[in-house]
Amino acid sequence: MSEQKTALVTGANKGIGYEIAAGLGALGWRIGVGASDRGRRDTAVEALRATGVEAFGVPLDVTDDASVAAAAVVIADRAGGLDVLVNNAAITGGMPQTPTTVDPATMRAVVETNVIGVVRVTNAMLPMLRASASPRIVNMSSSVGSLALQTTPGIDMGSAPAAYLASKTFLNALTIQYAKELSDAGVLVNSGCPGYTATDLNDFHGVRTPQQGAAIAIRLATLPDDGPTGGFFDDAGTVPW
């Protein structure tokens, strides 16, 4: 593997994912832009290259086994390996959405993308990550997935969609389990919360910019070897589980 670090960012064609790719690319990293939409993927790659980032497109549907397996081959062929995986791709399932009204099919689709998709991509990329000198996995979560915050009196978590909220709690639990299993391999695995960021997931109602939302992922992707693992963080520090 070359000394230049390589990162794969899923859902990197827009919003927070694009800004994570741009931020890591600005550090001199080679960036795999993971996205299922070819047009948006190509546009993102061109935009990154225009700023001097060494970027390449990775056709990737996180809900499809064959697509994920093919993506691993693309990264191996184009970069020779992988140092960082940022699991950013996610869906909300639409609004409004409460536990008593959510369609089970919606719940299934959200979990398939936000949770099972993370497992699918992570496990496919692990052989390359294990070969890296400083492997990192960043799972983009949300504070709405914090059971501690959800159950603390006086804290209003807002009207987060029920399926999305539950999927982020599920994802946080997986982050802990991956961190435990991979600790001996030197793989640091953490969840990051971008804050309430203006993206198409919330119809751009968020108060933070995608660049601000990307900052936590960039920090976790560039942790030193003695950095934390199995944690949940935002810009202010540790988020309670």
Side-chain angles (χ1 to χ4, degrees):
M1 186 182 299
S2 67
E3 293 184 3
Q4 183 184 25
K5 291 187 176 181
T6 299
L8 168 64
V9 183
T10 69
N13 59 300
K14 58 183 178 179
I16 295 172
Y18 176 85
E19 294 298 341
I20 295 170
L24 292 175
L27 298 177
W29 289 34
R30 181 190 296 113
I31 306 297
V33 176
S36 58
D37 187 292
R38 179 176 180 177
R40 291 178 178 176
R41 184 177 64 245
D42 290 348
T43 297
V45 169
E46 291 173 6
L48 289 168
R49 288 177 176 172
T51 66
V53 175
E54 184 178 341
F56 62 96
V58 181
L60 178 58
D61 177 352
V62 303
T63 69
D64 183 82
D65 289 342
S67 175
V68 172
V73 173
V74 170
I75 293 166
D77 288 346
R78 293 293 300 270
L82 186 67
D83 300 286
V84 168
L85 169 62
V86 181
N87 288 305
N88 169 74
I91 62 173
T92 66
M95 292 280 278
Q97 191 187 101
T98 67
T100 59
T101 62
V102 65
D103 186 328
T106 297
M107 178 70 77
R108 188 176 296 110
V110 171
V111 171
E112 182 67 45
T113 296
N114 298 4
V115 181
I116 299 173
V118 169
V119 174
R120 184 178 285 113
V121 174
T122 298
N123 291 351
M125 304 303 161
L126 266 177
M128 288 186 287
L129 289 168
R130 288 179 184 273
S132 169
S134 299
R136 307 286 181 262
I137 298 172
V138 182
N139 295 328
M140 291 303 285
S141 185
S142 171
S143 61
V144 301
S146 166
L147 292 176
L149 294 178
Q150 289 176 32
T151 56
T152 299
I155 294 182
D156 182 8
M157 300 304 292
S159 57
Y164 178 79
L165 183 154
S167 76
K168 293 305 183 181
T169 304
F170 195 165
L171 178 61
N172 286 343
L174 277 172
T175 295
I176 295 171
Q177 294 304 311
Y178 269 117
K180 288 181 176 180
E181 182 178 353
L182 298 175
S183 60
D184 291 344
V187 185
L188 303 186
V189 188
N190 292 287
S191 285
C193 172
Y196 191 33
T197 303
T199 70
D200 56 2
L201 289 185
N202 55 44
D203 292 327
F204 301 96
H205 290 153
V207 298
R208 290 166 60 84
T209 67
Q211 188 173 34
Q212 289 173 321
I216 185 61
I218 295 168
R219 179 161 71 85
L220 295 175
T222 57
L223 285 172
D225 290 340
D226 61 353
T229 190
F232 188 13
F233 304 94
D234 63 12
D235 287 350
T238 301
V239 179
W241 292 112

